[in-house]
Amino acid sequence: MSGTRRRFFQDAAVFGAGLFGLRETLHAGTPESTLQSPHENENGRHHSPYGSRGPHPAQARAVVRDHALPMVTPDVADLAHEMDGDIKIFHVVAEPVKRKIAPFKTIDAWGYNGSCPGPTIQVQQGDRLRVVFENRLPESTSLHWHGLELPIEQDGVPYISQKPVAPGEKYVYEFTVHQEGTFFYHAHSAMQEMMGQIGFFVAHPERDYKPRVDHDYGLILQEWAVLPSNTVPNTAAMEFNWLTFNGVSAPMTTPLLARLGSRVRLRILNLGMDHHPVHLHGHQFVVTGTEGGRAPESTWCPMNTVLMGVAQARVVEFEAKYPGAWMIHCHLPHHMMNSMMDLMRDRQIQTADQTEAKAMGQMESLARSVPFQHVHPFPVAPDAESVPGFPQDAFMEMGMDDVVEKPETYGLPRNWSAGMMGMMTMIRVLPDKEYDAILSKKKTASPSAQEEHHHES
Ligand SMILES: [Cu+2]
């Protein structure tokens, strides 16, 4: 496996060649070849989800700086870099971004390099970086490196550590990363943060974490207040109607994939107004790191819900022991749904004069106006209308399997998308055959082919 990481960055550099060549990188996504398979990584595996203190043959080799497994940020690309001697050069552009957060909802967010959240920056502990930052926003901004220990003039706080970067201007940040861990970059301006200006900054350790993992995924949690028939987030709002992982609401979130028996790392990052208790189904995990870096193994304890406070990162690891499509979601009830307000407009269901036939009629006309394939009622009792409180979830089930279809959804049960909303994704723990089938689909599928693909149902 030595060289995998080097190859990854070489590939990325080729994709991103040129000052503003990032868009190609964004569309290209993270090359699949960067994923280590569990078989390749066999020596690094442990069967305890809580790791092991013992020395290990693979780790005893003490290979430095080229074994790190790149993190994959579903629905968000990596930022490529160029080299100038030993210095890694990244180009970061702050700019307005149109982000499709659901099949029927595109918002006017702000982000970086055409992406919201911004593209993921991955470096190696010890790297020297130069970040050429350009502001294409209509107002001044700066870049703050959250959690990094660096000279004050690199801290990215307007007036305190630097002059604000005016529209059209550039600013060069340069520093050495002596830490390892899960950090992030963001505008140090509250409203700009709420417009989406955040991205992952991952510093891979000089020596691999133990035990090693086979999959490494990142999720950024964001919430949005977008009024009906509007596209601009209301950054002054204190209530939110859209909840996203990596800039998309379920079921548009791309499922994570894990080979059965592999060890998975999940890095979660929250920068918004709310805390989010993120829950994993069917498995127990341990928190192996925070926004401050790797946590000592003595602190790891089993859990399956991690409370994500604002400005925190949490890194959890688990053994993908049980096959299935396992939910990963914020457990706040209102964060497990998408806003219906846009869809309903003046047809909002009035509970007082609600009848099943009328509700279904509304939902069906709605389904015709947006790309849903089917609207199913949950079965309801014959006397449902006589029960105070009815309906609650009875008319909420809207399948859109075909609209959100991609290789990662291959083989999911019919109408799976009806059970997924809001701040939600899944990890599909798959035996070799199914895992490999999806991987080969990913290799053959081109983004344009996926967009044009339609099912007759
Ligand atoms: Cu939440």
Side-chain angles (χ1 to χ4, degrees):
M1 283 315 299
S2 72
T4 297
R5 178 163 183 76
R6 199 174 298 126
R7 198 162 62 241
F8 163 72
F9 281 121
Q10 282 166 352
D11 290 349
V14 169
F15 275 122
L19 189 59
F20 301 116
L22 176 81
R23 280 195 176 78
E24 282 77 5
T25 312
L26 292 172
H27 290 304
T30 305
E32 190 55 51
S33 60
T34 61
L35 284 174
Q36 292 177 345
S37 84
H39 300 302
E40 290 170 298
N41 206 12
E42 208 80 60
N43 289 338
R45 292 169 64 197
H46 289 259
H47 293 292
S48 160
Y50 316 127
S52 162
R53 292 167 196 282
H56 200 278
Q59 292 145 2
R61 279 189 267 124
V63 177
V64 174
R65 285 179 68 96
D66 64 359
H67 263 220
L69 176 73
M71 181 185 80
V72 173
T73 319
D75 304 305
V76 173
D78 274 50
L79 186 60
H81 70 272
E82 301 156 356
M83 295 301 295
D84 177 10
D86 288 340
I87 303 179
K88 286 183 176 169
I89 302 178
F90 291 90
H91 295 277
V92 175
V93 180
E95 59 187 353
V97 173
K98 286 205 183 294
R99 183 53 153 159
K100 192 179 196 179
I101 59 173
F104 46 87
K105 187 72 179 177
T106 297
I107 64 171
D108 283 295
W110 290 2
Y112 299 99
N113 302 64
S115 177
C116 178
T120 294
I121 296 176
Q122 304 202 49
V123 302
Q124 199 72 34
Q125 184 178 21
D127 278 349
R128 179 82 181 165
L129 305 189
R130 184 179 304 145
V131 179
V132 181
F133 175 58
E134 182 183 351
N135 180 13
R136 291 190 198 162
L137 295 173
E139 60 186 41
S140 298
T141 188
S142 62
L143 266 193
H144 170 59
W145 306 94
H146 191 110
L148 290 182
E149 298 169 357
L150 34 65
I152 182 64
E153 61 272 17
Q154 308 300 326
D155 197 41
V157 179
Y159 303 109
I160 305 288
S161 66
Q162 69 171 87
K163 234 179 69 186
V165 185
E169 282 188 357
K170 289 186 180 176
Y171 189 91
V172 177
Y173 297 89
E174 186 164 325
F175 51 87
T176 300
V177 180
H178 72 86
Q179 296 155 275
E180 51 70 28
T182 308
F183 308 103
F184 43 115
Y185 63 94
H186 64 81
H188 207 274
S189 310
M191 302 302 216
Q192 292 175 2
E193 289 172 23
M194 293 308 293
M195 284 295 280
Q197 299 219 266
I198 182 181
F200 263 117
F201 184 98
V202 171
H204 294 282
E206 281 187 348
R207 287 168 193 272
D208 283 345
Y209 299 133
K210 301 171 188 176
R212 293 185 60 195
V213 296
D214 308 294
H215 305 280
D216 193 335
Y217 289 110
L219 295 175
I220 292 180
L221 284 48
Q222 290 170 291
E223 63 257 345
W224 312 89
V226 192
L227 295 172
S229 305
N230 206 322
T231 59
V232 180
N234 178 0
T235 56
M238 303 292 276
E239 289 190 340
F240 304 94
N241 57 346
W242 286 98
L243 290 303
T244 56
F245 277 156
N246 293 343
V248 283
S249 281
M252 248 181 96
T253 45
T254 298
L256 318 184
L257 303 176
R259 225 183 255 277
L260 181 61
S262 65
R263 185 175 176 93
V264 180
R265 176 180 301 132
L266 183 57
R267 307 175 194 241
I268 313 167
L269 160 41
N270 178 25
L271 190 66
M273 284 286 293
D274 283 339
H275 64 287
H276 301 281
V278 176
H279 175 56
L280 167 69
H281 285 208
H283 294 77
Q284 314 309 318
F285 57 61
V286 289
V287 176
T288 58
T290 72
E291 68 281 355
R294 188 74 166 176
E297 198 175 314
S298 57
T299 67
W300 300 0
C301 66
M303 54 176 86
N304 48 57
T305 306
V306 62
L307 182 59
M308 296 299 310
V310 174
Q312 290 185 328
R314 290 289 177 270
V315 182
V316 305
E317 292 178 14
F318 58 96
E319 298 285 343
K321 288 190 209 173
Y322 306 108
W326 301 104
M327 313 290 301
I328 300 170
H329 65 95
C330 173
H331 222 298
L332 291 187
H334 280 194
H335 295 182
M336 299 166 63
M337 54 179 75
N338 292 332
S339 174
M340 302 280 287
M341 299 294 287
D342 271 284
L343 308 179
M344 296 303 185
R345 298 192 181 95
D346 56 343
R347 294 174 304 190
Q348 286 186 52
I349 294 174
Q350 299 299 310
T351 308
D353 65 353
Q354 187 56 60
T355 64
E356 183 182 345
K358 184 177 176 187
M360 286 312 294
Q362 287 175 320
M363 295 302 288
E364 275 156 12
S365 69
L366 167 64
R368 283 193 294 276
S369 70
V370 293
F372 298 152
Q373 277 74 45
H374 39 89
V375 177
H376 295 292
F378 287 131
V380 299
D383 63 343
E385 297 293 340
S386 67
V387 178
F390 176 83
Q392 294 297 331
D393 290 309
F395 305 117
M396 299 287 281
E397 188 183 354
M398 291 177 289
M400 49 181 121
D401 297 7
D402 299 346
V403 171
V404 296
E405 183 183 10
K406 56 191 91 169
E408 291 86 348
T409 66
Y410 175 69
L412 286 170
R414 183 73 183 150
N415 213 26
W416 66 271
S417 59
M420 298 207 38
M421 285 171 278
M423 206 175 248
M424 191 176 280
T425 186
M426 61 169 73
I427 183 158
R428 301 187 65 189
V429 179
L430 299 164
D432 285 346
K433 193 175 156 212
E434 285 89 335
Y435 185 88
D436 292 334
I438 290 181
L439 241 55
S440 73
K441 276 183 179 292
K442 281 184 69 173
K443 278 176 187 147
T444 53
S446 74
S448 56
Q450 283 177 51
E451 277 166 20
E452 287 159 14
H453 185 77
H454 290 290
H455 249 331
E456 298 303 323
S457 49

